[in-house]
Amino acid sequence: MKMKYRLAALLLSMTALAGVVSPASAAKFDIDPVHSGIAFYIDHLGFSKVIGVAQEFSGTFDFDASKPDASSLDVKVTVASISTNNKQRDGDIQGADWFNATEFPDITFVGKEFKKTSDNTGQVVGDLTIAGVTKPTTLDVTFNKEGQNPWDKSHVVGFSATTKVKRSDFGMKAALGMIGDEVDIVIQVEGREHKA
């Protein structure tokens, strides 16, 4: 009989502990640019794909692992920071035939709908604005991990995401047929809980 009571007490203790270590509730996160990245790939004459990266970006998101559909996301990329590791080409893509950075210095993405597709995957449907043109775009997202950063004890959550867009949809039609229309985008994000 004593064994039965001890087992019951142990189960109650474990239940209480589970409540303590359950996933964090809803929180606002700032994208950590040091541990995040945005890259794209675009076909060059069918021989290879040129790789580009955004070196300056910022954003915030709200996330609760138990209610992912209630999330939010707002990201801004500085067009002048986009690099393909070639100064001449980088100068060209800043021009009016491409990103038109003078008139439209930022690329933005605002999440509108958040769908869970499995235990650790989902989709974010939102508005992507490039060169003054806004199009609905879907990110395929993998939830990597949520927990404490062991270095500074901050609350961190991480995601990986991919999408494809057609540059011509955003008015960028220069050299179509030689340079690809479809652009693959790869995103890695670490978010740190926002501190007021």
Side-chain angles (χ1 to χ4, degrees), residues 89-190:
R89 181 170 55 218
D90 290 348
D92 289 342
I93 66 174
Q94 299 294 323
D97 289 338
W98 293 84
F99 288 107
N100 196 0
T102 300
E103 189 172 352
F104 304 105
D106 299 316
I107 295 169
T108 62
F109 181 81
V110 179
K112 298 293 186 180
E113 187 177 355
F114 301 81
K115 306 174 183 177
K116 184 175 180 179
T117 55
S118 76
D119 286 345
N120 69 328
T121 62
Q123 291 185 324
V124 178
V125 181
D127 290 337
L128 177 63
T129 302
I130 301 175
V133 178
T134 301
K135 295 288 183 180
T137 303
T138 299
L139 303 180
D140 293 310
V141 181
T142 299
F143 170 55
N144 296 325
K145 184 179 178 181
E146 180 174 11
Q148 186 182 75
N149 182 319
W151 299 106
D152 60 11
K153 312 306 180 186
S154 60
H155 178 200
V156 178
V157 64
F159 300 90
S160 301
T162 60
T163 192
K164 294 178 184 287
V165 300
K166 287 188 175 181
R167 62 184 178 94
S168 60
D169 287 345
F170 298 89
M172 292 187 284
K173 299 180 180 180
L176 281 174
M178 293 186 290
I179 299 173
D181 190 13
E182 189 170 75
V183 182
D184 294 289
I185 301 173
V186 179
I187 302 162
Q188 295 290 330
V189 167
E190 280 191 27

Side-chain angles (χ1 to χ4, degrees), residues 53-56 77-83 90 94 99 101-102 104-107:
V53 296
Q55 297 175 319
E56 293 180 19
V77 175
T78 302
V79 173
S81 78
I82 294 173
S83 171
D90 290 348
Q94 299 294 323
F99 288 107
T102 300
F104 304 105
D106 299 316
I107 295 169

